[in-house]
């Protein structure tokens, strides 16, 4: 059977493969459309397998917060170059995937997501759509991670995406008054806190949120630093305590200097606003993604 332009066009629309690949698939399959689709998918799997070991540290971070400000989702998808990250195909895939994660609350990890029917074409899985995109674009593409932040009651979930989509933050803050929660001043505070997380890269809300093993490891590192010093043990202990307090200033949000006024710690700012508005404010949780970071 002769391969026509219309057949090539139809196969391209179905698979997203290039013109020459579609022409070859139709020739190999004797013009059988279904066999040509299968040929291209097998070829895509092979191409994706070859590219899977290549480093992918570029890409996009995307996020969405619902209109009520009570839930949000953040997603990171990686590729090899900024050029691909800016293509329409890649950005459309990231948008579709973010929507799918939003609408799939029972899916909690990337392996499970890859096995789900792809929302825009339920005849294939997310993993198969990813494979097809790798074959079409020619770069390794990875769904790196995603997370959800949900809350209830007075307060807000705030999302902040840094220009360039290389840093994204979801932050949940509660407050003890519905009226305060609805105010522009509270929204501004929560937004400022999200900017703080993006700029200063804390790892925990406060010292109480640091896992015991992480804290023990850090303490042991500081103890090793002073172990050889000719000082009483009580003095060494005070030095280690001071080092931990200094470490908290870097890794704990409430201990950091506020980026808009470094005379204030973030915890002090929150305490001031709580008293000013006569409503306790609690920084509940945050998620910070930086492109290509662990």
């Amino acid at each position: 059977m002769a391969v026509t332009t219309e057949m090539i066009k139809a196969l391209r629309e179905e698979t997203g493969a290039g013109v020459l690949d579609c022409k070859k698939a139709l020739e190999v399959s004797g013009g059988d459309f279904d066999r040509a689709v299968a040929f291209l998918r097998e070829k895509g799997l092979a191409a994706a397998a070859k590219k899977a070991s290549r480093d992918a540290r570029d890409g996009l971070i995307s996020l969405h917060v619902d209109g009520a400000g009570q839930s949000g989702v953040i997603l990171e998808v990686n590729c090899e170059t900024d050029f691909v990250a800016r293509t329409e195909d890649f950005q459309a895939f990231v948008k579709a995937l973010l929507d799918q994660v939003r609408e799939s609350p029972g899916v909690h990890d990337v392996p499970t997501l890859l096995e789900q029917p792809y929302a825009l074409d339920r005849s294939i899985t997310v993993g198969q759509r990813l494979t097809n995109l790798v074959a079409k674009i020619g770069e390794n593409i990875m769904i790196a991670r995603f997370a959800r932040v949900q809350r209830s009651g007075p307060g807000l979930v705030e999302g902040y995406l840094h220009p360039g989509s290389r840093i994204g933050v979801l932050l949940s803050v509660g407050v003890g008054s519905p009226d305060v929660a609805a105010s522009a001043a509270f929204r501004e505070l929560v937004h400022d806190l999200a900017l703080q997380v993006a700029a200063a890269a804390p790892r925990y809300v406060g010292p109480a949120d640091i896992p015991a093993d992480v804290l023990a490891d850090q303490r042991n590192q500081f103890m090793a630093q002073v172990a050889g010093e000719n000082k009483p043990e009580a003095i060494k202990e005070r030095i280690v305590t001071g080092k931990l307090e200094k470490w908290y200033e870097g890794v704990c949000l409430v201990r950091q200097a506020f980026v808009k006024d470094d005379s204030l710690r973030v915890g002090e700012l929150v305490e001031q606003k709580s008293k000013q508005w006569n409503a306790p404010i609690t920084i509940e949780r945050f998620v910070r993604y930086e492109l290509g970071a662990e």
Side-chain angles (χ1 to χ4, degrees):
M1 178 186 293
V3 175
T4 66
T5 302
E6 288 74 18
M7 293 166 65
I8 294 172
K9 180 180 178 182
L11 188 57
R12 285 198 71 197
E13 291 175 352
E14 173 69 20
T15 65
V19 172
L20 293 179
D21 286 334
C22 289
K23 184 174 184 293
K24 180 179 179 181
L26 286 163
E27 289 172 346
V28 168
S29 64
D32 186 297
F33 188 85
D34 291 337
R35 285 175 57 198
V37 170
F39 175 86
L40 287 172
R41 285 181 176 166
E42 288 173 8
K43 182 178 179 181
L45 284 170
K50 290 180 181 179
K51 295 176 175 68
S53 62
R54 294 183 354 197
D55 195 31
R57 293 285 181 175
D58 219 293
L60 290 174
I61 293 169
S62 187
L63 60 82
H64 179 271
V65 175
D66 74 341
Q70 295 292 286
S71 68
V73 61
I74 185 169
L75 167 73
E76 178 180 352
V77 182
N78 296 139
C79 58
E80 296 178 44
T81 63
D82 177 63
F83 174 79
V84 165
R86 290 184 279 110
T87 62
E88 183 178 346
D89 282 339
F90 184 83
Q91 294 189 3
F93 177 67
V94 173
K95 181 182 183 304
L97 204 59
L98 181 70
D99 290 341
Q100 180 155 353
V101 171
R102 284 172 49 206
E103 295 166 5
S104 307
V107 176
H108 300 291
D109 55 57
V110 172
T112 304
L113 176 63
L114 289 169
E115 295 174 355
Q116 302 302 301
Y118 183 50
L120 298 186
D121 180 359
R122 301 190 71 82
S123 68
I124 60 174
T125 65
V126 171
Q128 288 170 327
R129 174 61 186 130
L130 178 61
T131 296
N132 294 342
L133 190 61
V134 170
K136 180 180 181 181
I137 288 179
E139 281 195 8
N140 187 20
I141 298 171
M142 299 169 50
I143 302 171
R145 50 186 172 167
F146 63 87
R148 299 181 184 85
V149 172
Q150 294 179 298
R151 65 173 318 283
S152 60
L156 285 174
V157 172
E158 171 75 355
Y160 172 73
L161 194 60
H162 193 68
S165 301
R166 303 184 74 86
I167 296 175
V169 172
L170 286 179
L171 170 74
S172 176
V173 181
V175 64
S177 164
D179 291 338
V180 171
S183 68
F186 179 72
R187 290 181 178 274
E188 181 180 4
L189 172 66
V190 177
H191 181 69
D192 285 346
L193 293 175
L195 292 178
Q196 174 84 29
V197 173
R203 293 164 56 191
Y204 313 100
V205 173
D209 301 294
I210 302 173
D213 59 332
V214 173
L215 184 58
D217 181 65
Q218 191 63 49
R219 183 179 180 83
N220 289 339
Q221 289 183 44
F222 290 146
M223 287 295 291
Q225 291 173 12
V226 301
E229 296 183 12
N230 186 22
K231 294 176 180 176
E233 290 302 315
I235 298 297
K236 291 181 180 179
E237 185 65 33
R238 285 204 295 272
I239 292 173
V240 168
T241 298
K243 286 178 176 288
L244 282 171
E245 290 295 322
K246 188 68 177 176
W247 180 65
Y248 293 154
E249 293 176 9
V251 301
C252 295
L253 176 59
V254 297
R255 295 291 188 91
Q256 290 181 334
F258 182 41
V259 291
K260 286 192 169 183
D261 180 359
D262 61 10
S263 69
L264 277 177
R265 301 291 175 193
V266 170
E268 293 170 341
L269 171 68
V270 170
E271 186 176 355
Q272 283 184 7
K273 295 299 184 181
S274 295
K275 291 179 179 178
Q276 177 183 341
W277 298 331
N278 194 31
I281 298 168
T282 304
I283 301 174
E284 297 166 334
R285 181 191 173 197
F286 67 81
V287 177
R288 181 186 187 274
Y289 281 178
E290 184 166 353
L291 199 63
E294 297 296 332

